[in-house]
Amino acid sequence: MTIQRICCIGAGYVGGPTMAVIADRCPQVQVTVVDLNQARIDAWNDPDLSRLPVYEPGLDAVVGRARGRNLSFSTAVEAAIADADMVFISVNTPTKTKGLGAGQASDLRWVEACARTVAKAAQGHTIVVEKSTLPVRTAAVIKNILEAACDGEDQRTFSVLSNPEFLAEGTAIRDLEAPDRVLIGGDDSGSIDALAEIYAHWVPQQQILRTNLWSSELSKLTANAFLAQRISSINSIAAFCEASGADVREVARAIGTDSRIGPKFLNAGPGFGGSCFQKDILNLVYLSRHFGLPEVADYWESVVALNTWQQHRIARLVVQKLFGTVTGKRLAILGFAFKADTNDTREAPAIRICQDLLEEGAQLVIHDPKVKADQMARDLNQEPASQVDRLSGIGSWAEAGSVEDAVMGADAVLVLTEWQHYRNLNWQALAARMRKPAWVFDARAVADPAQIKAAGLCLWRVGDGEG
Ligand code: NAD
Ligand code: UGA
C-alpha cells in the first residue's frame, strides 16, 4: 500500500514541523495538518513566514517550499480525516492535573477525542499513527475505540502504529531531516511498510527501526527518561563541585571522553525544562507503580526531584549572596525560554526561579529575544508592574527590550537561557549600569568569567567550585 494522503491532527510544535518535512521530502504525498485552534491554523497560513506559530531555525524555508503545493493547514478536521489513508495523532498529552493519577499520569482526553473523530470520519482503510508521546498500551485503547465504531455492515478497517517523535526544539528541522533513527511499532507489517516507505524518501533503511507496539511506546518514554537522568546526574555533581572546589565542566570533559559515557547532554544548568522530560518521567513513574514496581517508580521520581531541587537551590543562593534579602532589589533575568533557539517556555527553569524570587519580594526585569511579555505573565501568573514600590515587599516584574535596559540599576544579573547573544555581552559596559556590589549568576556558564571579574562584578557559575 502506498500512502497518497496524510492527515495530521495537531498543528503544534511536533505536528507542524514534522509534517512540513514529510511534505517537503515527499512531494507526491498530500499532507493536511488540522487543528481545532483557529488562531494557530491562521498563523501557519500566514503569508509572512516569520510569523509561523512555532519558532524553529529553518522551519520557514521548509514551510515556504511545501505550503500551497502539497502541504496545507486547516480546521476542517473531519474532511481531512475522510480524505486520508494515514492519520497521525500529534496532540498534546500533558500531565493530569486532577482525578486519578493527578500530577503523574498523562491526560489522554485529547488523544481519545482524536480516536473518536477518526472512528467517525475515516473512510476505507486508515492507518492511524501515534505521533504523540503516550503511556504504554495506549494503542490498545485507540484500537478499541476504532473497532467499536465498525459494526457488522461497516467496510472500514483500521491499523494502529506507534511512531514516536524524537526531535528536540531549537534543532527540530535538523533532527527531522537527519534523524538518528525513526521508530515504528506495530503488528501489521503492511502498514509498517507503508509508513517506512514515507521515511525512506530521506532516511536510510537501516535507521528505520521496527518493534512491537509496546516497545515503541516505551522506548519514547525511556529515551526521555535517560536524557533527563543525565542532566540530573550532572547537576548533582555541579552542586558537589561548588562545595568541593572542583569544576563541573572539567569533570564533564573527563567523563565524557569515556566512549561508554559520551560527551553529550553533560551541560550543568538550572535544570531541565521543556514540555516533555518531566511529564514523560512522571508518566513512567505512574506506570511503574501501576505495574507493581514501586522501586522502579522511586528511582525515576528522584530524577525529577533533583531537577526541582536544583531550581530552588539557585533561587536560594541568589538570596543568600545578596546579603540574605532580595526584597525591593532589582534583578535582571536574561533568558526565559526553556532552552535557546525556541520561544517555548513550558516548564522553563526560569519560571520556578523567578517565582521563588518574586515570593522573596524581588523586582525582576526580564529579557528574552523570543518570548513575549504576555507569555511571561501567564507563566508567572502575574501581570507586569506599571509602577514599583521597592519597599512594599511585594515582588514584581517587567519586560526589558534589551539586555542594557534589563541591567540598569540592577543588583544582579541571572543568566537562565543559553542564547548566543548572552555569550558575547560587554560586561564592562553592563557593569557601569549596575548598583554595586553587583553580582552575575550564570546558571548556564555561558558568559566569559574573566571579563565579568575584570568588570568588577562578583560571579557565581553553576558547578564552579573556585568561583
Ligand atoms: P502542542 O500543544 O504544541 O500541540 C498540540 C496541538 O493539538 C494543539 O495545537 C491543540 O490545539 C491540538 N489539538 C488537541 N486536541 C485536538 C483535537 N481533538 N483535534 C484537533 N487538534 C487538537 O503539543 P506538541 O509540543 O506538539 O506535542 C504533541 C505531542 O508530541 C505530545 O505528546 C508531546 O509529548 C510529543 N512530543 C513533543 C515534542 C516537543 O518537542 N514539543 C517532541 C517529541 C514529542
Ligand atoms: C527533548 C529530547 O531531547 C527530544 O529527543 C525529545 O523528542 C523531546 O524532549 C520531547 O519528547 O519533547 P527538548 O525538550 O526539546 O527535547 O530539548 P532538549 O535539548 O532535550 O533540552 C531539554 C532541557 O534540558 C532544556 O531545558 C535544556 O536546557 C536542558 N539541558 C539539555 C541541560 O540542562 N543540559 C544538557 O546538557 C542538555
Side-chain angles (χ1 to χ4, degrees), residues 12-22 44 54 56 59 167 172-173 176:
Y13 283 86
V14 171
T18 308
M19 292 302 128
V21 169
I22 288 181
W44 281 111
V54 170
E56 270 305 325
L59 176 64
L167 68 80
I173 299 304
L176 288 164

Side-chain angles (χ1 to χ4, degrees), residues 124-325:
H125 181 67
T126 309
I127 301 173
V128 177
V129 184
E130 297 175 339
K131 181 53 95 178
S132 293
T133 302
L134 295 168
V136 184
R137 302 200 76 84
T138 304
V141 175
I142 296 176
K143 274 185 185 174
N144 200 317
I145 292 170
L146 297 173
E147 279 162 14
C150 302
D151 55 30
E153 309 286 286
D154 209 321
Q155 299 297 307
R156 301 177 310 150
T157 50
F158 295 100
S159 174
V160 178
L161 301 177
S162 160
N163 172 223
E165 185 47 61
F166 296 101
L167 68 80
E169 289 180 26
T171 54
I173 299 304
R174 200 174 70 207
D175 296 341
L176 288 164
E177 290 185 335
D180 286 347
R181 78 311 207 182
V182 164
L183 179 57
I184 304 176
D187 47 24
D188 159 14
S189 59
S191 301
I192 297 176
D193 287 344
L195 181 53
E197 197 186 309
I198 299 274
Y199 285 111
H201 281 90
W202 75 99
V203 180
Q205 285 289 355
Q206 67 275 17
Q207 281 164 244
I208 303 177
L209 312 183
R210 295 155 188 243
T211 66
N212 76 26
L213 275 166
W214 324 128
S215 302
S216 174
E217 290 174 333
L218 181 57
S219 298
K220 173 62 196 177
L221 296 182
T222 308
N224 275 358
F226 270 56
L227 290 168
Q229 178 203 45
R230 273 175 82 94
I231 300 169
S232 280
S233 297
I234 201 69
N235 283 340
S236 74
I237 298 302
F240 198 108
C241 288
E242 289 164 34
S244 63
D247 183 326
V248 75
R249 281 150 293 278
E250 293 181 354
V251 176
R253 197 175 72 231
I255 64 167
T257 45
D258 183 326
S259 61
R260 294 167 303 174
I261 296 175
K264 294 183 183 166
F265 258 68
L266 287 178
N267 291 323
F272 54 78
S275 63
C276 294
F277 278 176
Q278 175 169 306
K279 154 177 94 67
D280 293 347
I281 296 180
L282 291 176
N283 191 204
L284 192 59
V285 168
Y286 180 75
L287 292 171
S288 302
R289 294 224 165 89
H290 168 80
F291 286 117
L293 302 166
E295 290 79 6
V296 178
D298 292 348
Y299 174 71
W300 288 109
E301 202 163 23
S302 71
V303 171
V304 175
L306 195 292
N307 195 55
T308 308
W309 172 79
Q310 173 77 341
Q311 293 166 10
H312 290 309
R313 182 175 87 85
I314 290 174
R316 241 187 347 256
L317 71 84
V318 170
V319 176
Q320 282 158 3
K321 300 273 192 206
L322 296 181
F323 308 122
T325 177

Side-chain angles (χ1 to χ4, degrees), residues 7-71:
C7 164
C8 173
I9 312 178
Y13 283 86
V14 171
T18 308
M19 292 302 128
V21 169
I22 288 181
D24 191 31
R25 298 301 175 125
C26 308
Q28 74 290 0
V29 179
Q30 285 300 322
V31 181
T32 307
V33 187
V34 293
D35 204 295
L36 298 173
N37 182 334
Q38 182 73 54
R40 221 169 206 191
I41 291 298
D42 290 347
W44 281 111
N45 283 324
D46 197 315
D48 179 352
L49 289 166
S50 71
R51 293 211 295 250
L52 296 178
V54 170
Y55 171 70
E56 270 305 325
L59 176 64
D60 48 355
V62 176
V63 172
R65 281 196 295 273
R67 201 177 58 184
R69 182 188 68 190
N70 63 327
L71 174 67

Side-chain angles (χ1 to χ4, degrees), residues 345-398:
T345 61
R346 290 177 289 181
E347 305 295 336
I351 299 174
R352 192 170 277 135
I353 295 171
C354 288
Q355 280 173 339
D356 281 4
L357 295 169
L358 288 171
E359 183 69 26
E360 293 283 340
Q363 325 268 272
L364 308 181
V365 189
I366 308 175
H367 174 265
D368 189 286
K370 289 287 171 197
V371 180
K372 302 209 169 77
D374 56 349
Q375 184 60 49
M376 295 173 190
R378 276 195 294 277
D379 289 334
L380 296 173
N381 211 5
Q382 185 173 332
E383 290 303 312
S386 44
Q387 62 187 58
V388 166
D389 173 2
R390 276 181 177 255
L391 294 179
S392 70
I394 297 169
S396 69
W397 72 275

